[in-house]
């Protein structure tokens, strides 16, 4: 689910910055040197014309510079490609992107340099923002510690626990995900400090220390200071109790059989 959230957030970052949304994001986020985010793709002349006013504002291009570049983009078929370079085989950050601009007139080198420097700065800024947000999403979708207990209720002999578990690494989506729902989830995670977790439910027998029932609740959205009853499925708890009863019944039958045989 984290990959889906990152992909959609990357698209929204590009859209909000005036970029086309089709460039593909890549990321490596493990708090190691060389880790970060990068995106690759191409920009047509029309895309550059759309991007230019945003680029001029963020990178402080002067009005004459912006007007001159607008004329060039209107007259010439100028395109830009963002390609992975040799560093991208080991790292993931803005430095892994090679920017290639085609179509600039040979006698427009000052304008080219102005545009190229501004574009490179924008790429670095977007990659840095994606990295910063990526770590926030990573923190919101993974346990804070091993076997982080979210909820616990105990009796004399048994304990019901909800534990934040690592997400399923085999999670796949088929392209039919509701983008509106994904964006709402992003708002909750990034602006409302919610968490999206895989929750492991289990019942433990204090007498033996055995886990006698276990279930997983994937993609559980937990709002800040949310009460367990708001996110803990009653149906899941009911099924867990039935599983525990069945386990106890089987153990009881086994001990009765052993007692008769003895």
């Amino acid at each position: 689910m984290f990959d889906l959230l990152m992909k959609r957030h990357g698209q929204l970052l590009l859209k909000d910055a005036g970029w086309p949304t089709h460039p593909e994001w890549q990321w490596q986020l493990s708090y190691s040197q060389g880790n970060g985010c990068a995106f690759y793709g191409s920009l047509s002349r029309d895309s550059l014309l759309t991007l230019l006013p945003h680029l001029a504002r963020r990178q402080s291009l002067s009005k004459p510079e912006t007007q001159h570049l607008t004329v060039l983009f209107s007259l010439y078929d100028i395109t830009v490609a963002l390609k992975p370079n040799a560093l991208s085989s080991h790292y993931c950050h803005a430095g892994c992107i090679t920017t290639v601009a085609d179509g600039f007139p040979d006698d427009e080198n000052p304008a080219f340099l102005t545009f190229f420097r501004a574009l490179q700065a924008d790429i670095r800024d977007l990659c840095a923002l994606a990295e910063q947000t990526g770590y926030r999403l990573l923190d919101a979708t993974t346990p804070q510690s091993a076997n982080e207990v979210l909820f616990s209720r105990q009796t004399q002999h048994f304990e019901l626990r909800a534990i934040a578990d690592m997400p399923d690494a085999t999670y796949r989506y088929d392209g039919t995900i509701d983008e509106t729902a994904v964006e709402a989830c992003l708002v909750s995670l990034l602006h409302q400090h919610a968490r999206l977790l895989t929750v492991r439910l289990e019942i433990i027998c204090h007498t033996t220390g055995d886990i006698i029932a276990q279930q997983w609740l994937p993609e559980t959205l937990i709002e800040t200071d949310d009460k367990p009853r708001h996110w803990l499925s009653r149906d899941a708890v009911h099924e867990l109790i039935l599983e525990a009863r069945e386990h106890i019944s089987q153990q009881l039958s086994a001990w009765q059989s052993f007692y008769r045989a003895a």
Side-chain angles (χ1 to χ4, degrees):
M1 188 63 178
F2 170 78
D3 287 349
L4 178 61
L5 291 168
M6 274 296 293
K7 179 179 179 180
R8 185 57 185 155
H9 182 65
Q11 291 174 336
L12 293 174
L13 280 180
L14 293 174
K15 180 180 179 181
D16 291 344
W19 286 69
T21 59
H22 61 261
E24 291 289 330
W25 281 94
Q26 295 181 11
W27 51 84
Q28 294 178 13
L29 300 171
S30 59
Y31 295 98
S32 297
Q33 186 176 5
N35 279 190
C37 299
F39 61 99
Y40 305 99
S42 59
L43 290 81
S44 66
R45 179 178 62 181
D46 290 342
S47 295
L48 292 173
L49 280 168
T50 301
L51 172 62
L52 185 57
H54 301 273
L55 189 68
R57 183 184 71 254
R58 287 192 296 271
Q59 303 304 330
S60 302
L61 297 183
S62 67
K63 187 173 181 180
E65 288 173 333
T66 304
Q67 291 175 338
H68 185 60
L69 287 169
T70 301
V71 171
L72 290 178
F73 292 151
S74 300
L75 294 178
Y76 298 94
D77 188 18
I78 298 171
T79 61
V80 169
L82 308 181
K83 302 178 180 181
N85 57 34
L87 290 175
S88 64
S89 59
H90 300 287
Y91 306 107
C92 188
H93 51 70
C96 300
I97 305 170
T98 294
T99 306
V100 180
D102 290 323
F104 261 92
D106 294 337
D107 59 349
E108 290 290 349
N109 193 55
F112 168 76
L113 290 177
T114 297
F115 166 72
F116 191 79
R117 289 166 181 164
L119 188 68
Q120 289 285 80
D122 218 46
I123 291 170
R124 289 193 297 270
D125 291 346
L126 285 170
C127 290
L129 182 58
E131 177 184 357
Q132 179 185 19
T133 308
Y135 279 118
R136 290 171 60 196
L137 286 176
L138 195 63
D139 290 341
T141 55
T142 54
Q144 295 177 351
S145 60
N147 293 319
E148 177 193 355
V149 177
L150 303 170
F151 166 83
S152 176
R153 289 291 184 273
Q154 298 187 42
T155 65
Q156 181 179 356
H157 299 291
F158 301 100
E159 180 181 1
L160 167 64
R161 298 196 306 184
I163 297 172
D165 208 349
M166 291 300 294
D168 184 2
T170 63
Y171 179 87
R172 296 289 184 272
Y173 61 94
D174 58 8
T176 60
I177 297 295
D178 184 350
E179 289 187 350
T180 301
V182 173
E183 291 173 17
C185 184
L186 283 169
V187 170
S188 296
L189 299 180
L190 296 176
H191 303 291
Q192 300 170 5
H193 307 292
R195 302 176 70 189
L196 184 69
L197 300 170
T198 295
V199 176
R200 184 174 81 243
L201 293 178
E202 55 189 30
I203 294 179
I204 300 172
C205 175
H206 288 314
T207 303
T208 64
D210 293 338
I211 297 174
I212 60 175
Q214 199 169 56
Q215 288 191 27
W216 280 263
L217 305 178
E219 300 171 28
T220 302
L221 186 66
I222 304 176
E223 304 286 349
T224 305
D225 299 326
D226 209 358
K227 301 296 183 183
R229 65 176 179 270
H230 294 152
W231 53 264
L232 191 57
S233 167
R234 290 188 177 185
D235 290 340
V237 173
H238 180 67
E239 291 178 8
L240 194 71
I241 292 173
L242 292 179
E243 182 182 335
R245 286 177 176 173
E246 178 64 21
H247 179 89
I248 293 170
S249 177
Q250 291 176 358
Q251 290 293 316
L252 181 61
S253 297
W255 278 110
Q256 288 175 340
S257 174
F258 173 75
Y259 177 77
R260 287 193 297 269

